[in-house]
Amino acid sequence: MTVPEHVFPKGFVWGSATAAIQIEGAAELGGKGPSNWDVFCRKHPEKIFDGGSPELACDHYHRFKEDVRLMKETGHTGYRMSIAWTRIIPDGQGDVNSEGVAFYRALFDELRAHGIEPNVTLYHWDLPQTLAGLGGWENKQVIDHFVRYARVCFDLFGDQVKLWSTLNEPGWTTLQSYVTGLHPPNVSNHKSAVQVAYNYILAHARVVKEFRRWQHEALSSRKETQIGIVLNMSTIYPADPLSSSDQSAATIADGVLNRWFIDPVLKGCLPSDVWALYKRCSLLPEHTDAELAEIGFQVSASQSSKIDFIGVNYYYPHFASADAPESAYHLNTSGNKNEDCIFAIKDLFRFVKNPHGRFTDWGWEIFPEGLYDLLMRAEHYSPGIPVYITENGIGIQESLDSDGTVRDERRIDFVREHLKVAHRAIQDGVNLKGYYMWALMDNFSWVNGFKKRYGFLFVDRKTLDRHIKASGHWYKRVSDQNGF
Ligand code: BGP
């Protein structure tokens, strides 16, 4: 065995990530209730590439034992996943479904028996349809239901799960659901978007406080259990670094998309410049002073909404230009290289393509330095805070070779390049605790359907058989050596 050039700290977590609705399938089995995504995909197959649906997804619900075994074979010491709210409380607000509880208890047992530590996200975008019917995240009642669901999970799985995250990428999901309107409920309305973005932050703070209460009820056995949040903190640079208007555009974009979420969770307050912008545009969310106080950190440990770690997702950077005469949105969901992603908010900012960039087939720039900057930023915000890279990966169009392998050298290169900058960030002081590649297996990639493959495991869409890709074998060696 060669001595690795990049050695990671002892105990570094080598993992991958998934989300319930993207892999589980069994949409109507085991007492599960319908979620917003189940209903949306059923009603609007034309809005999903090739009409893909999460109905069957990867059938992980029935194959989880095999999947855990394959995690072991690919060197996993950790696994980031989410719980489907609709499996635990099918209508989001009523009775607890014992079959759903049994499924996750069995999965957590299986993981732990294989030495794989689960890192569990409570909400990864699959909202119970009943709550979507109440107005979804625009309605503050949903926050109360979410806090109750979270408490149910802490009570039911708190002995098996040591790492919890409240929400996955509240910023990105607000954007796609309420600005571009590509995700359910397919709304394009800035006022709604700001309300939802505010409600997410309030929901996060309340769940962290509920977690602290749960923790303090039996502190001796629960003090090692931690809670955080997963944010997409894509680094935003001015398109022209010498242009002051592009610099302002980048600051605004960063404020709306990133700081709105980072500031409250790491500093305990919403960013004042974004608040002032929303006020000027008559977009301020409905709020009370008491809620704003809740978002802040309290002194008492059992009341605090301060998090124990931050999860960061990183795929690609943004370059912001001030030249934004119109709002425009387009996401490349086809994997056709000539199709550009477009995102512009009139008079505020427009993201432009880096003319020197390298891109995936879906138009996402490959720019590892953006991850370095993001990690250093988290450290500057909250020195010493434990950080996990909770998602990072590359979507590729892949097929199985005749010998049953997938030679995904591009994925190995992508992960290696990002791990190199992560390693440098550790040398430069970031308390980075682990890396979860997106994804464990090829999965339902939201509006991209199934063509965009992300996994260490190739999933044959006809048979649902799994095949470890070259990257999975490579990852096993990295994990065994704790570096590369
Ligand atoms: C993140 C989501 C993941 C995952 C990933 C890749 O924003 O948290 O669920 O899907 O993006 O995105 P996509 O599947 O749209 O290519």
Side-chain angles (χ1 to χ4, degrees), residues 114 151 224:
H114 284 78
R151 173 68 196 217
E224 305 299 334

Side-chain angles (χ1 to χ4, degrees), residues 324-360:
E326 294 301 335
S327 291
Y329 318 112
H330 180 72
L331 188 68
N332 172 344
T333 59
S334 66
N336 172 355
K337 247 191 175 299
N338 304 322
E339 210 184 311
D340 284 338
C341 295
I342 300 170
F343 188 83
I345 298 189
K346 188 173 183 307
D347 297 334
L348 290 185
F349 61 86
R350 176 169 62 94
F351 290 143
V352 297
K353 198 171 172 178
N354 175 2
H356 313 292
R358 295 178 286 154
F359 294 86
T360 71

Side-chain angles (χ1 to χ4, degrees), residues 12 39 46 49 69 74 105 123 193 254 302 330 416 421:
F12 192 81
V39 173
E46 77 286 357
F49 184 80
R69 180 175 56 73
T74 47
R105 284 208 65 89
Y123 180 75
D254 186 53
S302 61
H330 180 72
R416 197 196 283 114
V421 301

Side-chain angles (χ1 to χ4, degrees), residues 188-450:
S188 186
N189 178 322
H190 290 179
K191 182 94 181 140
S192 302
V194 172
Q195 187 67 56
V196 167
Y198 172 81
N199 289 355
Y200 272 135
I201 281 305
L202 186 58
H204 161 80
R206 287 189 180 159
V207 167
V208 176
K209 282 186 186 149
E210 188 60 41
F211 174 82
R212 295 289 171 227
R213 274 193 283 278
W214 171 84
Q215 196 174 37
H216 280 258
E217 282 164 18
L219 194 57
S220 57
S221 59
R222 296 176 181 171
K223 64 175 181 298
E224 305 299 334
T225 309
Q226 299 191 341
I227 193 156
I229 187 170
V230 172
L231 298 181
N232 168 3
M233 288 170 41
S234 288
T235 325
I236 301 175
Y237 305 93
D240 174 357
L242 301 177
S243 148
S244 58
S245 52
D246 283 3
Q247 285 170 13
S248 308
T251 303
I252 293 172
D254 186 53
V256 170
L257 300 176
N258 288 333
R259 285 183 289 115
W260 181 265
F261 303 96
I262 310 169
D263 283 22
V265 307
L266 292 185
K267 291 208 258 181
C269 56
L270 290 159
S272 53
D273 61 329
V274 183
W275 191 265
L277 170 75
Y278 290 160
K279 197 168 182 184
R280 269 201 312 282
C281 303
S282 305
L283 290 174
L284 272 190
E286 269 177 37
H287 65 281
T288 64
D289 288 347
E291 288 170 357
L292 291 175
E294 276 188 84
I295 288 171
F297 304 150
Q298 314 269 326
V299 196
S300 139
S302 61
Q303 283 292 306
S304 180
S305 64
K306 223 174 183 164
I307 48 176
D308 300 309
F309 68 87
I310 180 136
V312 296
N313 292 356
Y314 176 74
Y315 288 88
Y316 60 97
H318 295 297
F319 293 88
S321 157
D323 176 23
E326 294 301 335
S327 291
Y329 318 112
H330 180 72
L331 188 68
N332 172 344
T333 59
S334 66
N336 172 355
K337 247 191 175 299
N338 304 322
E339 210 184 311
D340 284 338
C341 295
I342 300 170
F343 188 83
I345 298 189
K346 188 173 183 307
D347 297 334
L348 290 185
F349 61 86
R350 176 169 62 94
F351 290 143
V352 297
K353 198 171 172 178
N354 175 2
H356 313 292
R358 295 178 286 154
F359 294 86
T360 71
D361 291 352
W362 280 265
W364 290 12
E365 185 173 351
I366 302 170
F367 189 75
E369 276 309 305
L371 176 62
Y372 177 82
D373 291 343
L374 183 166
L375 293 171
M376 295 310 292
R377 185 180 202 197
E379 170 63 19
H380 284 139
Y381 252 88
S382 189
I385 187 163
V387 182
Y388 291 89
I389 297 170
T390 33
E391 284 181 34
N392 172 238
I394 180 169
I396 306 177
Q397 314 189 29
E398 292 168 314
S399 53
L400 210 53
D401 284 355
S402 50
D403 61 358
T405 54
V406 177
R407 293 177 175 76
D408 55 344
E409 293 302 327
R410 284 177 68 194
R411 179 166 293 106
I412 296 175
D413 290 345
F414 181 97
V415 174
R416 197 196 283 114
E417 284 187 51
H418 285 80
L419 282 173
K420 272 187 190 170
V421 301
H423 186 265
R424 176 149 57 87
I426 295 172
Q427 308 304 305
D428 293 344
V430 176
N431 187 11
L432 186 64
K433 295 287 194 190
Y435 178 85
Y436 300 90
M437 191 193 77
W438 185 267
L440 170 65
M441 64 184 98
D442 301 337
N443 58 64
F444 173 68
S445 181
W446 311 109
V447 284
N448 310 299
F450 291 99

